[in-house]
């Protein structure tokens, strides 16, 4: 099974600031956790991070016909991007939305998710572990 893990803007800065919200672990730690999960679960996982909305849309389109499941943390674009929502709908690949923090317990503007409207499941507030849970969810529900 092939899974694409997508991370949006500023997530590459994890561990550098705001440890109270996102923890002290770095983006490299997150990539390593996902790599480890791929090996343990015998999955083919590709990872991609971009600070640019259009690049994330390009990557979702690229996945069409090649990828069986998407894990996506669109970061701030969660709350603004109809383009990412439309791309997820266009490719129709099962996608799980992940947020490191509990967005429901934060500012009201974080409680709207456009991308989430095209996702089969959402995991929020479980820290980095949420990505592992999302991968396992896709494997269990859409694996061979
Ligand atoms: O909780 C999440 O995973 C978020 O998607 C993270 C986004 C935020 O805009 C969403 O509302 C919730 C922000 C990612 C920015 O990460 C930072 C990393 C280091 C320092 C500051 C922000």
């Amino acid at each position: 099974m092939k899974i694409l893990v997508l991370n949006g803007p500023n997530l590459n800065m994890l561990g550098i600031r705001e440890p109270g919200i996102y923890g002290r672990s770095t983006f490299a730690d997150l990539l390593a956790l996902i790599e480890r999960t791929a090996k343990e679960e015998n999955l083919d996982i590709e990872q991609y991070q971009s600070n640019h909305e259009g690049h994330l849309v390009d990557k979702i389109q690229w996945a069409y016909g090649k990828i069986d499941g998407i894990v996506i943390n669109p970061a701030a674009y969660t709350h603004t991007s109809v383009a990412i929502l439309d791309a997820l709908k266009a490719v129709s690949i099962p996608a799980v939305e992940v947020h490191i923090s509990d967005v429901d317990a934060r500012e009201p503007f974080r409680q709207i998710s456009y991308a989430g409207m095209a996702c089969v499941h959402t995991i929020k507030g479980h820290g980095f572990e949420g990505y592992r849970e999302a991968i396992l969810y896709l494997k269990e529900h859409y694996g061979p």
Side-chain angles (χ1 to χ4, degrees):
M1 181 181 196
K2 289 187 184 168
I3 294 179
L4 173 64
V5 178
L6 287 175
N7 278 299
N10 298 308
L11 286 163
N12 55 315
M13 299 290 282
L14 283 169
I16 294 173
R17 295 202 49 205
E18 301 211 58
I21 299 174
Y22 302 114
R24 290 201 179 274
S25 301
T26 65
F27 186 60
D29 294 331
L30 175 61
L31 299 181
L33 171 116
I34 292 164
E35 281 304 316
R36 223 169 32 243
T37 306
K39 284 208 178 83
E40 285 165 5
E41 300 296 328
N42 200 24
L43 295 164
D44 183 355
I45 297 189
E46 163 145 358
Q47 307 207 47
Y48 181 75
Q49 187 274 334
S50 179
N51 295 323
H52 304 278
E53 184 177 17
H55 292 176
L56 292 163
V57 169
D58 285 345
K59 196 66 184 179
I60 293 167
Q61 291 186 9
W62 166 88
Y64 183 70
K66 301 187 186 78
I67 292 288
D68 307 305
I70 294 176
V71 173
I72 184 165
N73 183 347
Y77 292 140
T78 305
H79 320 298
T80 62
S81 181
V82 177
I84 290 175
L85 166 63
D86 286 346
L88 289 169
K89 280 187 172 170
V91 298
S92 201
I93 298 168
V96 176
E97 176 188 24
V98 173
H99 295 289
I100 296 165
S101 64
D102 180 5
V103 280
D104 292 338
R106 299 181 64 189
E107 302 95 324
F109 68 83
R110 293 188 203 273
Q111 288 160 34
I112 288 177
S113 170
Y114 289 101
M117 294 173 195
C119 290
V120 294
H121 187 51
T122 296
I123 295 166
K124 32 194 159 184
H126 295 188
F128 285 8
E129 184 57 25
Y131 288 82
R132 224 179 88 79
E133 291 171 21
I135 291 163
L136 295 179
Y137 183 95
L138 285 172
K139 185 181 177 187
E140 188 184 331
H141 290 85
Y142 300 95

